[in-house]
Amino acid sequence: IDLTTPLASINSGPNSLTNSTSASFTFSANPPPAGSITGYECNLDNAGWASCSSPKAYASLSQGNHNFEVRSIDNNNNRSSASSQTWIIDTTAPTLSINSNPTSLNNSTSASFIFSATDSGGGAVGSYACKVDSGSYSACSSPISYSSLAQGSHTFYVTATDNAGNTSSAQTYTWTTDLTAPTITISANPNSVTNSTSASFSFSASDTGGGAVAGYQCSIDGAAYASCT
């Protein structure tokens, strides 16, 4: 008389959180004293028990929570209690946003960025990677600042990776650092000696630093500068 149920054990399976839609399990059982193991039955996501063998592989699994169960059968038709493993498949990349950035045109050689991300796939955002221009991505956190930037156009890149290994597409921001003052020319003015109590001036300027002339300020005889045209 053999009333001893064989004990089934799961030896290996997927990580508890993964972005793989495939899963493979290996399992084994210790035969009871009066019998031997003749087979196994597997059950994925309560779809029903079916005969199986180790290793057991599954493919094309959907995103979300999954549960695998296995039980062993001995030659006296005793079935073990089920051993089980649960895991989460997350195939959704984080949603990433740049929340704060420098103005699109400025004269600062420094730039600071604030960014954040959310993950709806069942995991959490695990890390960020940043770079400026043609540099290499490196681990970063928010906020991040850069200094000693050269004059010209710059682009900031940031990606987010969740704990399942899904990486977002890069979010980018482009701005221009303009360190060159405009070149101004007085094109018309009164004679150096005159008997007129009025004076008229014409002037113009050009900018080569990447921006444009935004306005003028004028001063006469050491008075405070004021907007003028």
Side-chain angles (χ1 to χ4, degrees), residues 56-179:
K56 176 62 176 176
Y58 298 93
S60 302
L61 298 173
S62 62
Q63 175 168 288
N65 295 299
H66 295 277
N67 181 63
F68 171 77
E69 296 178 289
V70 62
R71 63 190 182 190
S72 56
I73 307 169
D74 68 13
N75 57 346
N76 290 307
N77 210 32
N78 295 306
R79 282 171 167 78
S80 71
S81 58
S83 292
S84 65
Q85 179 177 334
T86 60
W87 78 105
I88 297 173
I89 295 176
D90 173 10
T91 58
T92 302
T95 300
L96 176 63
S97 299
I98 297 175
N99 309 117
S100 178
N101 47 257
T103 55
S104 59
L105 177 66
N106 62 72
N107 65 350
S108 176
T109 59
S110 300
S112 182
F113 296 87
I114 296 174
F115 46 87
S116 60
T118 57
D119 187 71
S120 60
V125 178
S127 63
Y128 297 92
C130 301
K131 73 171 186 173
V132 168
D133 299 334
S134 59
S136 300
Y137 277 103
S138 61
C140 60
S141 59
S142 180
I144 188 170
S145 296
Y146 297 92
S147 60
S148 302
L149 296 171
Q151 176 168 287
S153 178
H154 299 283
T155 301
F156 170 73
Y157 302 79
V158 59
T159 63
T161 301
D162 65 20
N163 290 333
N166 301 298
T167 299
S168 71
S169 56
Q171 290 293 307
T172 66
Y173 180 77
T174 299
W175 76 105
T176 299
T177 299
D178 176 7
L179 305 176

Side-chain angles (χ1 to χ4, degrees), residues 43-60:
N43 181 12
L44 178 66
D45 296 333
N46 295 317
W49 292 98
S51 178
C52 61
S53 60
S54 179
K56 176 62 176 176
Y58 298 93
S60 302

